Amino acid sequence: METRSERAETTLAAIVDAALAMAAAEGLESLTIGEVAKRLGLSKSGVFSRVGSREQLQVAVILEYDRRFQQAVFVPAMSKPRGLPRLDDIMRRWLARATNADRTLSCLYTAGAFEYDDREGPVRDQLQDGVLRMRAALHRTVTQAIEAGHLQADLDAEQFVFEMDALFTGLLRDTRFLRDPRVHERGVKAWERMLAAAGASRTPRTPAITG
């Protein structure tokens, strides 16, 4: 028999799941305790008792989005060899996600950055933390590829990560706003050009012998 605690956890998961679907389709600002309660057939007090305020609900949604994004993009890539194979796998999963018009896969970090660029508070702080952690993870992966000799030794890792993130943001706009049918193809070409410019090679470079 399901315990009261288990029922509460199940209900909380359902609340966050419904709120995440709303945020993906309509933005984080669309979230209200009342609307989530209505969609789930719960009372406002029932939702409030599990998530707290509207702001706490928004933060919980961002945390759940982050967990799902990590599971979809970064975690599978960890099975790849360190260096370019892992970096390439991350980016190709990311490209596929960015160019998928499914509204449930909308990027809360990109959309949220525009919603909260001129606001202060816990929601903006959580969004910023997620973006910075994502960039830090990319930076580590790029650095590992440089150290493995898969990318040129003098590559500016920070700049490379900036360009990866900028490509992702551009693809989201062209997918959802411009509805470009060739957006995935364009994204792959752009990524491959970035790799070529960075001297990408899956065979580690042998240091030149001098003297």
Side-chain angles (χ1 to χ4, degrees):
M1 182 180 294
E2 189 178 40
T3 66
R4 180 178 297 181
S5 176
E6 289 171 334
R7 287 197 300 274
E9 286 192 16
T10 300
T11 303
L12 175 59
I15 289 170
V16 173
D17 187 63
L20 177 54
M22 283 179 59
E26 303 166 33
L28 284 162
E29 278 297 292
S30 72
L31 297 181
T32 65
I33 298 293
E35 184 59 30
V36 172
K38 179 181 177 181
R39 294 194 181 197
L40 291 174
L42 300 171
S43 65
K44 287 186 181 180
S45 60
V47 173
F48 183 83
S49 68
R50 288 170 174 82
V51 299
S53 67
R54 173 176 180 261
E55 193 173 72
Q56 288 172 311
L57 174 61
Q58 289 169 317
V59 169
V61 164
I62 296 167
L63 289 171
E64 178 60 16
Y65 170 80
D66 184 83
R67 186 190 70 79
R68 295 186 189 187
F69 183 84
Q70 295 289 337
Q71 289 294 320
V73 176
F74 284 92
V75 172
M78 292 303 104
S79 64
K80 301 294 182 181
R82 180 178 292 202
L84 183 57
R86 185 176 297 178
L87 175 65
D88 190 49
D89 192 66
I90 288 171
M91 193 57 174
R92 289 183 187 274
R93 289 177 184 277
W94 204 3
L95 288 171
R97 189 177 176 93
T99 56
N100 190 325
D102 184 347
R103 292 199 306 173
T104 64
L105 297 178
S106 178
C107 179
L108 289 193
Y109 287 144
T110 302
F114 289 102
E115 281 190 274
Y116 290 87
D117 58 351
D118 57 356
R119 303 181 185 210
E120 301 296 333
V123 179
R124 185 188 194 282
D125 291 345
Q126 193 62 57
L127 284 166
Q128 185 181 60
D129 178 71
V131 171
L132 292 177
R133 283 189 293 103
M134 178 184 65
R135 283 201 176 188
L138 288 174
H139 191 278
R140 284 194 300 273
T141 310
V142 171
T143 299
Q144 289 168 358
I146 295 170
E147 292 171 346
H150 296 155
L151 298 177
Q152 59 196 38
D154 61 350
L155 180 69
D156 184 339
E158 190 172 345
Q159 177 66 25
F160 196 72
V161 169
F162 169 82
E163 291 173 10
M164 291 173 71
D165 198 8
L167 173 58
F168 181 62
T169 302
L171 291 174
L172 284 166
R173 183 198 61 196
D174 283 22
T175 298
R176 299 178 183 282
F177 184 68
L178 299 183
R179 298 174 183 171
D180 182 355
R182 296 182 59 196
V183 66
H184 184 263
E185 175 189 345
R186 297 186 196 283
V188 171
K189 284 183 178 180
W191 172 236
E192 289 176 349
R193 285 180 182 176
M194 285 177 62
L195 288 177
S201 172
R202 293 182 185 271
T203 303
R205 293 172 177 77
T206 302
I209 299 175
T210 61

